[in-house]
Amino acid sequence: MAVKGVVFDVTKGKDFYGKDAGYNALVGRDCTRAVAKMSLDPEDLTHDTTGLTEEQLDSLESVFSGTYKAKYPIVGYTSRRILNPDGSPNDNFQPEDQPQFSIRDEF
């Protein structure tokens, strides 16, 4: 699942995120808005933070840092994080400079 463009491996939280689990709707998408609103409403399962209150944005940051970054490994980034709005590469984005980034050898 992804929050704020950061993809987390939530495998160790399978009781929460696995098939038929309560938060399974969050898996496989950037659900930043849902995390900010503490919502599982299908319309909130998006990266879009337009119109969120300051309280919701503070909650998002708290859960992002205090739960996801603290508990689950970062395994990647969404295109919104690594590309500019026009689709060109974001030359300022360096995965190795991101907190908790580690390259896993999959081969």
Side-chain angles (χ1 to χ4, degrees), residues 37-85:
K37 293 179 70 177
M38 299 294 173
S39 168
L40 293 175
D41 188 323
E43 70 183 32
D44 291 327
L45 300 176
T46 178
H47 70 280
D48 187 9
T49 58
T50 304
L52 292 178
T53 67
E54 194 65 36
E55 183 178 315
Q56 289 168 329
L57 292 171
D58 289 345
S59 175
L60 171 63
E61 189 55 41
S62 175
V63 173
F64 177 72
S65 296
T67 301
Y68 291 104
K69 283 175 60 177
K71 196 171 187 180
Y72 299 107
I74 295 171
V75 294
Y77 300 92
T78 66
S79 63
R80 285 178 188 81
R81 188 87 172 211
I82 60 176
L83 299 176
N84 293 315

